[in-house]
Amino acid sequence: MTGTIADWLGGACLLAGALLSLVAGIGVLRFPDVLGRMHAATKPQVLGVLLLLVGLALRLRTPSDLGMIALVAVFQLATAPVAAQMIGRAAYRSGRIDRDLLDADELAGR
């Protein structure tokens, strides 16, 4: 009984993660500026990948698979914010952002 419930929950997480990753990909294509694309590439994409990993963990349930899934989740959570920071920083330094869209520009004096 618990295996069936875990399988259904895993399937729901896999479907939700796939849809969220699809929405993130569409957002990267549709947003006009670097900051919007950076947001779409990091926030919903990371949540989508984590939902996919939870779905895989609920479906597989073996210790070696769970360890690998945990490593993928940790690396995803560690690299996505750093990548977003570097993209935003490079876009700011190269002048590829619209400064009118910023609420506060802490780096304007530098």
Side-chain angles (χ1 to χ4, degrees), residues 2 4-6 15 18 20 23 25 32 37 47 52 57 65 71 73 79-80 88-90 93 95 100 106-107:
T2 59
T4 305
I5 294 172
L15 184 61
L20 204 54
V23 168
R37 289 179 180 170
L47 182 60
L52 286 170
D65 291 333
L71 279 174
T79 57
R89 189 176 189 181
R93 286 185 171 179
D100 295 333
E106 291 87 9
L107 299 175

Side-chain angles (χ1 to χ4, degrees), residues 1 16 37 87 108:
M1 178 71 176
R37 289 179 180 170
I87 290 169

Side-chain angles (χ1 to χ4, degrees), residues 23-96:
V23 168
I26 292 171
V28 168
L29 292 174
R30 296 288 307 214
F31 283 141
D33 61 334
V34 175
L35 298 178
R37 289 179 180 170
M38 181 181 63
H39 174 78
T42 54
K43 295 189 189 293
Q45 186 267 339
V46 170
L47 182 60
V49 168
L50 291 178
L51 281 172
L52 286 170
L53 292 175
V54 168
L56 281 173
L58 288 171
R59 298 280 296 179
L60 296 176
R61 296 188 291 265
T62 60
S64 62
D65 291 333
L66 293 178
M68 186 64 67
I69 289 170
L71 279 174
V72 170
V74 166
F75 287 134
Q76 182 68 32
L77 287 172
T79 57
V82 173
Q85 173 70 21
M86 293 293 111
I87 290 169
R89 189 176 189 181
Y92 184 86
R93 286 185 171 179
S94 66
R96 299 198 182 244

